[in-house]
Amino acid sequence: MKLTVIGCGYLGATHAACMAELGHEVLGMDCDMDKVHVLNSGKAPFHERGLDEMLARHTASGRLKFTASYAEAAAFADLHFIGVGTPQKPGEHAYDLDHLFSAVRQLAPRLKGPAVIAVKSTVPVGTAPRVRGLLHEFAPAGEAIEVAWNPEFLRESFAVEDTLRPDRLVLGFDAEHSWAEAVLRQCFGKIIEAGTPTIVTDWATAELAKASANAFLATKISFINAIAEVCEASGADVGRLADVLGHDARIGRRGMRPGLGFGGGCLPKDIRGFMARAGELGVDQSLTILREVDAINSRRRERMVDLAREQCGGSLAGKRITVWGAAFKPETDDIRDSPALAVAQKLHELGATVTVTDPQALDNARKTHPELDYVNDPIAAVQDADLLLHLTEWPQFSHIDPARLAARTATPKVIDGRGTLDPATWREAGWTFRALGRP
């Protein structure tokens, strides 16, 4: 098939490359000419495992290319995926849909024949009818344009795998759709033939799918972190307790990782946007649990700052602190709502000199937090440090021998905010070891 992907950020660029991998001819469209140039060179403007190789392979073959022209995109195909960003509104919890509606308004006047518009962007429930209304109003093809909802469930650092081998495929249509389902089934044919559970549903259910999934995951993370607070107060080990709970098939261990909490561009935004839309629908009390989920997550960052102050003798003024981690999670350079950088920034505000190291995210961190110091080498970063904080669980950090580090520090003290360092190994190497939710 021939198809386009409108919006080539993290979601769109990944989707475009993976559709080419499935054998389709793909044109990605983005208004940012610099991004288009980078993508046409066979590289992503962000770090995502396996994506550069796929981009290079398919741009070289001619199966995948990128443009900044809506006219070129409209003329290229009759199936258009929209994957533009829907960030949180400044000063509000609601989604900002300006990019989505702008993309629809610019694409619509160029659609002269029947087409399927498949939206992947995360939105508040009730957005699909508005998209259809704009398309029918501004597209010359009018009601021959059909709207489908195809939410994404990508995990950063696993996005290629999650696109090509998803654990479910959701296709949402209105009650009167005639041919959009057949088009999308053809597009995702190889994925469906591989046995992927495919759920065909209405617009509203499909719109709710991503936000609901993220809300549940955030709740699971915050639940185990709330239990971690009890473990710290009682001397219990939250890691072992999570193992106990995880053996219950109704609960499961996956995703229940105690530590500093979640960040990134999806979970925090989606639970807040979900609450905002529930309020607009008059059912805000049904999601009051998410307010506490959000609050627990914020408290984990505050707790890390409190532990750092405690380990530094009650005051952070003049202390040298090394932070391992800037990205919100490993295997990405994404620093949106990064717990690691939020903690680092607070320590700086309280008078500490903070040195940050990360395998991928330092360039992005420097742009947003120029007041912090940055070192590429995690071993060199601990030089003369009064305290080391492990805040992003890159596997490289766990493999470093703590015995090599102790002599470099002013005081060998470490706080593990992610629960992936081995306490016995660090203590045997002479370190004072603390961890969230562990004795």
Side-chain angles (χ1 to χ4, degrees), residues 260 321-327 338-341 344 354-359 362 375-383 385 387-405 408-409 414-418 420-421 426 431:
L260 189 55
I321 298 178
T322 299
V323 172
W324 277 359
S338 164
L341 286 178
V354 183
T355 299
V356 179
T357 186
D358 189 282
L362 290 192
V375 174
N376 290 323
D377 181 2
I379 295 176
V382 304
Q383 189 66 44
L387 179 64
L388 169 62
L389 303 183
H390 175 236
L391 303 186
T392 307
E393 63 274 33
W394 285 91
Q396 295 94 314
F397 297 154
S398 296
H399 295 154
I400 294 174
D401 181 1
R404 298 177 59 193
L405 304 178
R408 288 178 172 267
T409 67
V414 61
I415 304 175
D416 182 10
R418 291 300 180 181
T420 57
L421 303 182
W426 283 76
W431 289 77

Side-chain angles (χ1 to χ4, degrees), residues 13 99 143 148 166 171 178 192 252 297 356 398 416 436:
H99 296 305
E143 294 186 4
L171 306 175
S178 59
I192 295 172
N297 197 55
V356 179
S398 296
D416 182 10
L436 291 174

Side-chain angles (χ1 to χ4, degrees), residues 85-277:
T86 52
Q88 192 173 327
K89 286 183 178 180
E92 299 182 35
H93 282 174
Y95 292 100
D96 184 343
L97 300 180
D98 286 351
H99 296 305
L100 173 60
F101 293 142
S102 175
V104 171
R105 287 192 183 96
Q106 293 187 71
L107 180 64
R110 299 170 169 88
L111 299 176
K112 305 185 186 304
V116 173
I117 309 300
V119 181
K120 298 191 70 67
S121 304
T122 305
V123 298
V125 62
T127 302
R130 299 173 64 186
V131 170
R132 179 176 61 181
L134 289 172
L135 288 165
H136 288 183
E137 179 180 357
F138 293 106
E143 294 186 4
I145 308 296
E146 293 206 2
V147 175
W149 226 260
N150 174 222
E152 54 86 12
F153 301 97
L154 305 187
R155 298 166 297 161
E156 290 197 37
S157 75
F158 295 95
V160 170
E161 174 75 15
D162 288 345
T163 303
L164 294 176
R165 286 167 287 277
D167 50 19
R168 76 281 209 194
L169 182 65
V170 177
L171 306 175
F173 308 98
D174 73 327
E176 300 176 357
H177 77 278
S178 59
W179 60 288
E181 181 178 346
V183 170
L184 286 179
R185 283 186 176 276
Q186 182 183 352
C187 175
F188 293 117
K190 290 183 179 180
I191 292 174
I192 295 172
E193 290 169 7
T196 301
T198 301
I199 301 167
V200 177
T201 186
D202 56 88
W203 277 341
T205 304
E207 288 173 314
L208 283 168
K210 175 65 182 295
S212 299
N214 277 352
F216 190 87
L217 178 58
T219 300
K220 194 171 184 179
I221 295 169
S222 283
F223 170 80
I224 199 62
N225 282 335
I227 296 300
E229 296 180 14
V230 179
C231 287
E232 282 191 52
S234 62
D237 186 331
V238 71
R240 301 304 294 162
L241 183 55
D243 291 338
V244 172
L245 298 177
H247 283 290
D248 188 325
R250 298 167 300 173
I251 298 173
R253 185 66 165 85
R254 190 177 179 187
M256 191 164 55
R257 299 189 59 185
L260 189 55
F262 56 81
C266 289
L267 260 64
K269 177 197 73 169
D270 287 349
I271 64 172
R272 294 163 190 163
F274 203 4
M275 285 189 287
R277 183 56 177 152

